[in-house]
């Protein structure tokens, strides 16, 4: 379609931003609005508030200070004046002329002279003067004006988008197809699509600014709902299609029940009984199971999964468990073997990981292929090594973020066999509403109860300066026969080549820090080398990690072993060791032959050593909440009292502060997950791509959770209504379906859950 203002060159720039159609452009909503209906007078401004101001340019100057060029702009209204400052902004010189009108948006700062307020680095836009064309004036002055994120440099910034979008809207007047049934819109009290699009770009006079900025106007809500509705409708359909596929109906006879009971080393919790019940009920169904088992660290997922696998095995099928790392696969293997030894039956269990030698692999593969292996535990190697099962009945995938592998399990069964059931386990507590809505094509079981007899873990925050106390404490615990973990954010060297890093990205942007250092009175801040506190006499020389101010596992292993923890058996574990070494070390730690394990986050998931009672996390300010919570979950697994010590050694940002406080305050994984989600947003929370979460155009899963619930309900209602009670006319329904197809193909490309 031809759009005024979009030639081939611009089209290319837009495509780079994922904007390919006129519709994409229309759904690129303003990220904020400026009230230019009744501009604020300068004397109404209060220090500390975010304000938008329209004033006349009085003067501008580029000041060359020793540190950097500073651009100063003075604007005024009558006798009142406001000063604006930009750092490192030579590029601004020559941009302003006295007499021009400028719109500014930024935080109002107090200024030394009471009469003069100040804005630092405000956003700005020169307003069109009387010579400018009428259209520009119409769109930018005397109204609530949309402000857009640029789609390509200054050329495709707000002004350009305003015009193009305005023209698009004009061109489509009364011709924009609706994609939701009228009856639905009427019931929900939502405007039609055309009106909604018009009003999010050009809000009618008098629309409350707070509602606009929060994306909470009826127009916004309608567009957000629309996006979420098509997501949920797609999920609903997938789920229905899954119910039509041919799976295996497992039987739960008395023999099966006995087999399950035999392996139980303890009384299951009520939550374990309930979730196993849910899983087994699915397994009895003739359609394939697709279920997510969620449970906080230590909630006891392993035994539940194992029992589910026994159901398959007792029915004459094979079961496979796939873990994200070799260590975990091995641990699952050992744990499963131990549990199965309790049974009066002889199960054959096989480990398949990449690091096995070729002969072993070949042997194991053939055992799997011939059906001699009942239970197969492995890593990605299960897929990569082209393992073919004789009769695969159930696949358990540990850790949902390796989600993408799911559909590939289809390759592992023989062509005309029924589809295996799939159970996904995750220790990431996903806020319930989110899990239910997002994994619409998975059923969800939640283990929301910890096994009895756990004493709460004592969590403390300690500054780097008190490291000596921490090491003393570790020594005391070891003297009592306990073990400890000490975790570092990096293996060694710079962070770029560290495979298991998952930092929180809330470091100050270079801009913000420049701003601060420039704005603050000149004071010399001397940053002490981080290792200096612990080891005043040692030099950390040319180690790149030292340069970045981060302590690393390799470096600290050496120092602790020969320094504060001398005499203890100190081991080292990180992702760059080869798999055999990792395993050896992990086993030695498990057997109590290592007292203190210095490690990276490689130990994060699943590792189980009940005798370990201390978890020290260094540079805790660097870790995300979910990660810290996972790490803490490594202790407190036995009867003895356990401790988590969060050592901060570096600048602690406001966000980090909040994370650390939350860790000290609560041990509830779901509460922490809620907070994490609110702080980081869903993209970071899940690692968007990995989790198969779509990129939304307008929706935001944190902000729009209620609309997500509503969309889910409406989608189920729409999809499941009998023809007689169907929503909307036939033509409307046809449009919904075709739009659904388009949306899923183009935008979501969601993971197929099997
Ligand atoms: P996760 O959910 O983190 O995988 P695990 O399955 O590893 O948890 O269980 C954590 C620990 O709790 C293990 O040592 C396990 O043996 C123990 N455990 C699990 N369920 C129970 C129970 N019902 N009673 C007592 N201990 C249990
Ligand atoms: Mg586990």
């Amino acid at each position: 379609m031809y759009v005024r203002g979009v030639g081939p060159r611009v089209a290319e720039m837009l495509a780079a931003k994922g904007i390919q159609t006129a519709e994409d452009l229309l759904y690129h909503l303003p990220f904020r609005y400026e009230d230019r209906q009744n501009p604020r007078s300068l004397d109404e401004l209060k220090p500390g508030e975010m304000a938008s101001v329209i004033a006349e340019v009085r003067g501008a100057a580029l000041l060359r200070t020793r540190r950097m060029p500073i651009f100063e702009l003075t604007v005024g209204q009558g006798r009142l004046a406001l000063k604006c400052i930009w750092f490192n902004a030579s590029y601004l010189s020559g941009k302003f002329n006295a007499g021009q009108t400028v719109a500014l948006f930024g935080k109002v700062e107090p200024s030394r002279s009471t009469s003069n307020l100040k804005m630092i680095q405000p956003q700005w836009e020169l307003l069109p003067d009387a010579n400018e064309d009428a259209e520009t004036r119409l769109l930018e002055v005397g109204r609530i004006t949309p402000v857009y994120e640029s789609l390509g440099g200054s050329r495709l910034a707000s002004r350009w988008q305003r015009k193009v979008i305005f023209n698009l809207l004009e061109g489509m007047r009364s011709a924009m197809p609706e994609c939701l049934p009228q009856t639905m819109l009427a019931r929900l009290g939502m405007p039609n699509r055309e009106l909604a699009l018009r009003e999010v770009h050009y809000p009618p006079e008098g629309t409350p600014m707070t509602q606009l900025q929060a994306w909470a106007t009826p127009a916004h809500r309608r567009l957000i709902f629309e996006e979420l509705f098509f997501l949920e409708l797609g999920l609903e359909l997938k789920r229905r299609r899954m119910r039509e596929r041919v799976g295996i109906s497992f039987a739960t006879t008395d023999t099966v029940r006995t087999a399950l009971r035999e392996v139980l080393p303890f009384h299951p919790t009520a939550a374990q009984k309930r979730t196993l019940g849910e899983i087994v009920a699915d397994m009895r169904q003739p359609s394939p199971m697709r279920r997510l088992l969620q449970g906080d660290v230590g909630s006891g997922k392993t035994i539940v999964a194992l029992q589910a696998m026994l159901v398959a095995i007792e029915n004459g099928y094979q079961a496979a468990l796939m873990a994200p790392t070799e260590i975990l696969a091995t641990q699952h293997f050992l744990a499963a073997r131990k549990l199965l030894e309790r049974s009066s039956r002889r199960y054959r269990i096989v480990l398949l990981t990449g690091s096995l030698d070729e002969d072993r692999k070949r042997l194991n593969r053939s055992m799997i292929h011939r059906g001699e292996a009942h239970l197969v535990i492995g890593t990605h190697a299960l897929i990569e090594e082209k393992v073919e099962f004789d009769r695969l009945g159930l696949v358990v995938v540990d850790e949902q973020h390796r989600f993408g592998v799911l559909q590939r399990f289809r390759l592992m069964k023989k062509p005309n066999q029924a589809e295996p059931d799939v159970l996904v386990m995750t220790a990431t507590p996903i806020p319930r509403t989110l899990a239910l809505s997002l994994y619409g094509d998975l059923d969800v079981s939640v283990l929301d109860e910890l096994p009895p007899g756990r004493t709460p873990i004592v969590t403390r925050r300690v500054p780097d300066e008190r490291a000596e106390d921490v090491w003393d404490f570790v020594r005391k615990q070891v003297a009592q026969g306990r073990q400890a973990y000490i975790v570092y954010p990096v293996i060694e060297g710079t962070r770029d080549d560290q495979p298991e890093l998952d930092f929180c990205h809330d470091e100050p942007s270079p801009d913000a820090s420049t701003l601060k250092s420039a704005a603050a009175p000149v004071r010399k801040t001397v940053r002490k080398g981080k290792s200096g506190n612990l080891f005043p006499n040692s030099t950390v020389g040319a180690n790149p990690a030292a340069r970045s101010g981060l302590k690393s596992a390799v470096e600290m292993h050496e120092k602790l072993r020969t320094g504060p923890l001398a005499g203890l058996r100190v081991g080292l574990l990180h992702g760059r060791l080869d798999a055999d070494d990792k395993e050896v070390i992990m086993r030695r730690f498990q057997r109590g032959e290592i007292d203190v394990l210095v490690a990276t986050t490689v130990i994060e998931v699943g590792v189980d050593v009940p005798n370990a009672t201390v978890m020290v996390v260094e540079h805790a300010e660097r870790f995300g909440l979910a990660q810290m919570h996972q790490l803490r979950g490594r202790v407190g697994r036995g009867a003895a009292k356990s401790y988590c010590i969060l050592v901060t050694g570096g600048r602690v940002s406001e966000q980090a502060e909040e994370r650390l406080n939350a860790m000290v305050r609560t041990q509830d994984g779901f509460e922490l997950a809620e907070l994490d989600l609110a702080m980081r947003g869903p993209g970071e929370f899940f690692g968007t791509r990995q989790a198969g979460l779509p990129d939304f155009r307008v929706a935001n899963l944190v902000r729009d959770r209620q609309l997500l619930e509503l969309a889910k309900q409406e989608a189920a209602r729409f999809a499941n209504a009998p023809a007689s009670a169907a929503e909307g006319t036939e033509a409307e329904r046809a449009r919904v379906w075709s739009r659904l197809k388009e949306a899923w193909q183009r935008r979501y490309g969601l993971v197929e859950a099997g």
Side-chain angles (χ1 to χ4, degrees), residues 455 482 610-611 613 636-642:
T455 41
R482 312 276 171 234
N611 190 49
T613 53
R637 308 197 128 219
K641 186 159 183 148
S642 289

PDB file of all heavy atoms in Angstrom, residues 455 482 610-611 613 636-642:
ATOM      1  N   THR A 455      13.860 -25.773  58.140  1.00  0.00           N
ATOM      2  CA  THR A 455      13.925 -24.550  58.924  1.00  0.00           C
ATOM      3  C   THR A 455      14.224 -23.408  57.965  1.00  0.00           C
ATOM      4  O   THR A 455      14.957 -23.600  56.993  1.00  0.00           O
ATOM      5  CB  THR A 455      15.037 -24.613  59.990  1.00  0.00           C
ATOM      6  OG1 THR A 455      16.167 -25.229  59.411  1.00  0.00           O
ATOM      7  CG2 THR A 455      14.581 -25.382  61.209  1.00  0.00           C
ATOM      8  N   ARG A 482      29.668 -28.995  58.487  1.00  0.00           N
ATOM      9  CA  ARG A 482      28.825 -28.550  57.371  1.00  0.00           C
ATOM     10  C   ARG A 482      29.676 -28.153  56.170  1.00  0.00           C
ATOM     11  O   ARG A 482      30.887 -28.042  56.262  1.00  0.00           O
ATOM     12  CB  ARG A 482      27.988 -27.356  57.798  1.00  0.00           C
ATOM     13  CG  ARG A 482      27.284 -27.522  59.086  1.00  0.00           C
ATOM     14  CD  ARG A 482      25.984 -28.262  58.893  1.00  0.00           C
ATOM     15  NE  ARG A 482      25.435 -28.590  60.197  1.00  0.00           N
ATOM     16  CZ  ARG A 482      25.090 -29.796  60.571  1.00  0.00           C
ATOM     17  NH1 ARG A 482      25.210 -30.822  59.749  1.00  0.00           N
ATOM     18  NH2 ARG A 482      24.605 -30.011  61.771  1.00  0.00           N
ATOM     19  N   PRO A 610      22.338 -31.912  50.789  1.00  0.00           N
ATOM     20  CA  PRO A 610      21.633 -31.530  52.025  1.00  0.00           C
ATOM     21  C   PRO A 610      22.561 -31.060  53.144  1.00  0.00           C
ATOM     22  O   PRO A 610      22.145 -30.286  53.995  1.00  0.00           O
ATOM     23  CB  PRO A 610      20.925 -32.827  52.433  1.00  0.00           C
ATOM     24  CG  PRO A 610      20.844 -33.637  51.188  1.00  0.00           C
ATOM     25  CD  PRO A 610      22.014 -33.265  50.353  1.00  0.00           C
ATOM     26  N   ASN A 611      23.814 -31.491  53.117  1.00  0.00           N
ATOM     27  CA  ASN A 611      24.717 -31.106  54.192  1.00  0.00           C
ATOM     28  C   ASN A 611      25.280 -29.684  54.035  1.00  0.00           C
ATOM     29  O   ASN A 611      25.922 -29.157  54.925  1.00  0.00           O
ATOM     30  CB  ASN A 611      25.872 -32.110  54.287  1.00  0.00           C
ATOM     31  CG  ASN A 611      26.704 -31.896  55.538  1.00  0.00           C
ATOM     32  OD1 ASN A 611      26.149 -31.782  56.629  1.00  0.00           O
ATOM     33  ND2 ASN A 611      28.009 -31.800  55.374  1.00  0.00           N
ATOM     34  N   THR A 613      25.144 -25.898  54.255  1.00  0.00           N
ATOM     35  CA  THR A 613      24.291 -25.005  55.043  1.00  0.00           C
ATOM     36  C   THR A 613      24.585 -23.532  54.822  1.00  0.00           C
ATOM     37  O   THR A 613      23.877 -22.685  55.326  1.00  0.00           O
ATOM     38  CB  THR A 613      24.466 -25.280  56.548  1.00  0.00           C
ATOM     39  OG1 THR A 613      25.856 -25.208  56.854  1.00  0.00           O
ATOM     40  CG2 THR A 613      23.919 -26.647  56.912  1.00  0.00           C
ATOM     41  N   GLY A 636      19.587 -25.230  52.936  1.00  0.00           N
ATOM     42  CA  GLY A 636      18.298 -25.421  53.602  1.00  0.00           C
ATOM     43  C   GLY A 636      17.603 -26.674  53.118  1.00  0.00           C
ATOM     44  O   GLY A 636      16.390 -26.793  53.174  1.00  0.00           O
ATOM     45  N   ARG A 637      18.369 -27.613  52.618  1.00  0.00           N
ATOM     46  CA  ARG A 637      17.764 -28.831  52.085  1.00  0.00           C
ATOM     47  C   ARG A 637      17.823 -29.975  53.088  1.00  0.00           C
ATOM     48  O   ARG A 637      17.306 -31.038  52.842  1.00  0.00           O
ATOM     49  CB  ARG A 637      18.457 -29.239  50.794  1.00  0.00           C
ATOM     50  CG  ARG A 637      18.515 -28.103  49.811  1.00  0.00           C
ATOM     51  CD  ARG A 637      18.814 -28.610  48.439  1.00  0.00           C
ATOM     52  NE  ARG A 637      17.813 -28.074  47.542  1.00  0.00           N
ATOM     53  CZ  ARG A 637      17.264 -28.740  46.538  1.00  0.00           C
ATOM     54  NH1 ARG A 637      17.609 -29.968  46.297  1.00  0.00           N
ATOM     55  NH2 ARG A 637      16.368 -28.174  45.785  1.00  0.00           N
ATOM     56  N   GLY A 638      18.517 -29.741  54.174  1.00  0.00           N
ATOM     57  CA  GLY A 638      18.567 -30.772  55.208  1.00  0.00           C
ATOM     58  C   GLY A 638      17.907 -30.242  56.462  1.00  0.00           C
ATOM     59  O   GLY A 638      17.182 -29.260  56.431  1.00  0.00           O
ATOM     60  N   ALA A 639      18.176 -30.919  57.577  1.00  0.00           N
ATOM     61  CA  ALA A 639      17.512 -30.531  58.818  1.00  0.00           C
ATOM     62  C   ALA A 639      18.229 -29.366  59.499  1.00  0.00           C
ATOM     63  O   ALA A 639      17.626 -28.607  60.254  1.00  0.00           O
ATOM     64  CB  ALA A 639      17.462 -31.726  59.758  1.00  0.00           C
ATOM     65  N   ALA A 640      19.543 -29.193  59.229  1.00  0.00           N
ATOM     66  CA  ALA A 640      20.311 -28.178  59.946  1.00  0.00           C
ATOM     67  C   ALA A 640      19.948 -26.771  59.486  1.00  0.00           C
ATOM     68  O   ALA A 640      19.495 -26.558  58.360  1.00  0.00           O
ATOM     69  CB  ALA A 640      21.794 -28.412  59.739  1.00  0.00           C
ATOM     70  N   LYS A 641      20.153 -25.844  60.387  1.00  0.00           N
ATOM     71  CA  LYS A 641      19.875 -24.447  60.095  1.00  0.00           C
ATOM     72  C   LYS A 641      20.807 -23.949  58.993  1.00  0.00           C
ATOM     73  O   LYS A 641      22.001 -24.234  59.004  1.00  0.00           O
ATOM     74  CB  LYS A 641      20.087 -23.630  61.356  1.00  0.00           C
ATOM     75  CG  LYS A 641      19.701 -22.206  61.211  1.00  0.00           C
ATOM     76  CD  LYS A 641      19.450 -21.579  62.568  1.00  0.00           C
ATOM     77  CE  LYS A 641      18.993 -20.163  62.366  1.00  0.00           C
ATOM     78  NZ  LYS A 641      18.077 -19.723  63.391  1.00  0.00           N
ATOM     79  N   SER A 642      20.266 -23.198  58.056  1.00  0.00           N
ATOM     80  CA  SER A 642      21.070 -22.754  56.923  1.00  0.00           C
ATOM     81  C   SER A 642      21.110 -21.235  56.799  1.00  0.00           C
ATOM     82  O   SER A 642      20.229 -20.541  57.288  1.00  0.00           O
ATOM     83  CB  SER A 642      20.533 -23.358  55.632  1.00  0.00           C
ATOM     84  OG  SER A 642      20.808 -24.738  55.605  1.00  0.00           O
TER      85      SER A 642
END
